Amino acid sequence: MARNTIKAVDKHKKTYHIISFGCQMNAHDSEKLAGILQGMGYTPAGDETTAGLVVYNTCCIRENAENRVFGNLGYMKYMKQKNPGLVVAVGGCMPQQEAALEKLKETGAADILFGTHNLHTFGSLLEQALDTGIKVTDIWQEWDGSDRGYISAVRENPWRSGVNIMYGCDNFCSYCVVPLVRGRERSRKPDEILDEIRALINDGVVEIMLLGQNVNSYGQKSNDGAAFPELLRLVAGLKPALPRIRFMTSHPKDLSLELIHAIRDCENICRHIHLPVQSGSDKILQAMNRKYTREDYLSLLSALRREVPDITVTTDIIVGFPGETDDDFEATLELVRQARFGGAFTFLYSKREGTKAAEMDCPVPENTANERFARLVDTINPIALEISKSWEGRIVQVLAEKLEKGMFTGRAGNNMPVHFPDNGASSPIGSIVPVKITEGRTFFLIGEQCYQNHE
Ligand code: SAH
Ligand code: SF4
Ligand code: F3S
């Protein structure tokens, strides 16, 4: 059989399974793909072993994200022999890069290849592939101006939803592939965002996360006026009120005092900010094109904590960026001690073709990077534990989401996972309930649900 045909399309079952490999935006795109598929009469299969259609929504932020996709596609080739009606689609950030696209084609496992800019056309690409029995590749180099917000998403979780407020990124941090695969920054109009959120509130959503690669620059490139702090206030002021509003990700270079004031003034904006610092060395920050210094970053934290004393700050840090010396790394450790993060995602630098950093000299040897990584984690964790312990004895509001082995799990307003026992009373799942914290552990809290007179 020729490599570009799809075997036995007539045996195809209309059940799907979507696997996301990337960030919140990637996960939310998957919910939109699910919306498109359910609109076409597909039903969820539950897993990739039984589905008629498997969709991989890929990420290429680091090499290991790509390797996971290739590993999965190897398995799909095997599954296709067992199940001739199986159709495999691969979309998202990886196919937007020429070299990765070629490698994806070489696997021979993908029947449909699509990218980030044409997610909204996925339904017609699928129909085309099934009607003709011929594999389809359709990657757009640019966005066509359509607003994907209109695609109704099928939410993974009934109570929480992401809401795109902008797409793309113009920051060109020197290590990062996102501007190359997601295109130029563009903000949605406030009215469209507010309409989408009103519909979500009517549908029972209690927590939304406003999504963008750099939410703090929302609206800066359009001329309709609203900047991010204003948008936040509009969302926070909707009636009936949304209990919880989160946003992700904030870039320190655009974090304004107005934003800090909006968080302070609006009770339903969660007391958590994810503020990636990436490095504590000014030299490395400059080479990363981050456009702030460690002092800028630390003074932002002081301003945030002055205005919103209970705020939990989390971050992202890259270890082993080209040219990072022992002194640069020590500066990162020192910043971590000063900043006192409640949590941090730590990454080994991964060279990405097409980025500025890929051309930089002085790579950090792998074993040095690994040693630094371990020391970084050993510095972050005890501080995170101290912060968790500082919650002991206090009452936090938890959106309860699941019950496992007799313990409910949910997140506090500050985004920390909280576990509390099921004591047989009515299930709190789907509601926000007060929980008294009895024990703080590294990156999570344990407590007991309060019922009355808990103040
Ligand atoms: N837009 C967000 C984050 C996007 S990617 C922001 O600017 O903060 C999430 C995280 O992945 C980044 O914060 C960075 O820490 C990490 N990352 C991005 N590119 C990377 C690379 N090439 N190697 C290692 N980590 C990387
Ligand atoms: Fe990447 Fe920087 Fe844009 Fe974040 S702000 S997506 S790290 S280029
Ligand atoms: Fe990955 Fe694309 Fe998000 S590269 S981190 S899925 S924007």
Side-chain angles (χ1 to χ4, degrees):
M1 171 141 336
R3 269 173 69 87
N4 67 340
T5 55
I6 303 173
K7 275 198 209 167
V9 163
D10 52 322
K11 296 208 176 94
H12 177 66
K13 279 188 301 181
K14 284 183 98 173
T15 60
Y16 72 91
H17 187 64
I18 306 176
I19 305 176
S20 303
F21 289 85
C23 57
Q24 275 86 356
M25 261 145 289
N26 177 274
H28 190 50
D29 283 350
S30 292
E31 295 183 329
K32 290 184 179 171
L33 290 169
I36 293 173
L37 287 170
Q38 292 202 9
M40 293 167 76
Y42 277 74
T43 53
D47 67 32
E48 71 268 43
T49 59
T50 52
L53 170 71
V54 178
V55 185
Y56 290 103
N57 195 7
T58 64
C59 170
C60 51
I61 197 87
R62 284 170 291 275
E63 197 182 351
N64 55 5
E66 295 194 337
N67 289 342
R68 278 172 56 217
V69 172
F70 288 120
N72 274 266
L73 288 178
Y75 174 63
M76 279 295 113
K77 272 191 94 167
Y78 160 76
M79 285 302 293
K80 277 183 157 185
Q81 284 160 6
K82 293 209 336 191
N83 170 7
L86 173 62
V87 171
V88 177
V90 180
C93 292
M94 262 172 89
Q96 290 293 147
Q97 290 212 298
E98 211 147 312
L101 178 63
E102 285 316 308
K103 273 180 82 180
L104 288 169
K105 283 185 184 161
E106 274 165 28
T107 66
D111 301 304
I112 302 164
L113 281 157
F114 65 106
T116 55
H117 299 299
N118 63 337
L119 170 135
H120 55 295
T121 68
F122 179 66
S124 50
L125 297 179
L126 175 60
E127 270 168 0
Q128 184 188 331
L130 292 174
D131 287 350
T132 61
I134 297 172
K135 294 187 176 188
V136 179
T137 299
D138 192 18
I139 313 293
W140 297 5
Q141 287 319 309
E142 276 174 39
W143 173 58
D144 68 349
S146 59
D147 179 18
R148 291 200 222 130
Y150 71 91
I151 304 173
S152 53
V154 174
R155 290 192 301 281
E156 282 260 305
N157 181 307
W159 313 287
R160 283 196 282 131
S161 180
V163 174
N164 294 112
I165 62 167
M166 58 211 294
Y167 305 104
C169 182
D170 281 356
N171 292 304
F172 291 95
C173 301
S174 62
Y175 50 81
C176 184
V177 77
V178 171
L180 311 180
V181 296
R182 291 263 165 179
R184 298 290 54 77
E185 179 180 302
R186 50 212 184 267
S187 295
R188 289 177 71 200
K189 292 195 169 48
D191 285 349
E192 284 168 11
I193 297 168
L194 293 171
D195 284 348
E196 186 177 332
I197 297 174
R198 278 190 200 97
L200 289 170
I201 297 174
N202 284 337
D203 203 28
V205 165
V206 293
E207 177 177 309
I208 59 148
M209 182 176 280
L210 305 174
L211 295 173
Q213 294 294 353
N214 172 9
V215 290
N216 299 338
S217 71
Y218 171 80
Q220 282 179 17
K221 303 227 159 114
S222 59
N223 47 15
D224 54 17
F228 186 56
E230 292 169 70
L231 179 74
L232 259 184
R233 285 182 191 270
L234 288 171
V235 174
L238 282 174
K239 297 276 176 284
L242 197 55
R244 280 185 170 186
I245 300 157
R246 301 185 185 279
F247 52 90
M248 179 116 163
T249 299
S250 286
H251 193 309
K253 81 178 166 65
D254 298 311
L255 197 155
S256 61
L257 267 181
E258 286 78 17
L259 173 64
I260 296 176
H261 293 159
I263 304 172
R264 179 196 63 194
D265 297 344
C266 304
E267 267 188 16
N268 49 356
I269 300 178
C270 290
R271 269 48 190 150
H272 168 233
I273 191 159
H274 186 64
L275 195 62
V277 64
Q278 314 297 2
S279 168
S281 150
D282 284 342
K283 182 193 94 192
I284 296 294
L285 286 172
Q286 194 174 10
M288 287 176 163
N289 193 30
R290 290 290 288 181
K291 301 196 167 78
Y292 53 84
T293 63
R294 63 178 284 140
E295 279 317 311
D296 295 337
Y297 187 88
L298 289 169
S299 33
L300 270 179
L301 289 195
S302 307
L304 267 164
R305 287 176 169 144
R306 189 176 57 238
E307 299 295 331
V308 193
D310 265 349
I311 198 158
T312 297
V313 183
T314 55
T315 201
D316 293 346
I317 298 173
I318 298 178
V319 176
F321 186 80
E324 183 189 73
T325 61
D326 284 341
D327 284 352
D328 293 319
F329 179 65
E330 289 300 331
T332 298
L333 292 183
E334 189 46 36
L335 179 128
V336 164
R337 290 183 202 108
Q338 282 176 265
R340 301 188 61 76
F341 297 114
F345 295 107
T346 46
F347 306 106
L348 281 171
Y349 168 72
S350 169
K351 182 174 170 178
R352 305 282 70 204
E353 284 315 321
T355 62
K356 273 257 163 66
E359 293 154 25
M360 290 180 185
D361 301 328
C362 306
V364 174
E366 202 178 315
N367 57 345
T368 310
N370 286 332
E371 277 167 26
R372 288 181 188 163
F373 189 90
R375 282 186 65 204
L376 177 62
V377 171
D378 286 346
T379 308
I380 290 167
N381 289 3
I383 298 172
L385 178 61
E386 278 172 34
I387 293 177
S388 287
K389 292 219 164 285
S390 73
W391 288 93
E392 288 176 359
R394 296 179 64 183
I395 291 166
V396 299
Q397 302 296 322
V398 180
L399 170 54
E401 297 195 33
K402 59 179 184 204
L403 175 63
E404 260 171 22
K405 296 186 188 144
M407 296 290 272
F408 289 109
T409 296
R411 282 187 186 262
N414 72 356
N415 210 33
M416 272 198 167
V418 181
H419 307 289
F420 56 100
D422 177 12
N423 54 14
S426 64
S427 169
I429 289 185
S431 7
I432 297 175
V433 293
V435 174
K436 184 162 185 175
I437 301 305
T438 51
E439 193 184 342
R441 301 258 189 101
T442 314
F443 307 127
F444 68 93
L445 305 171
I446 299 173
E448 272 161 21
Q449 189 174 345
C450 313
Y451 290 93
Q452 63 215 343
N453 303 330
H454 52 74
E455 291 309 293

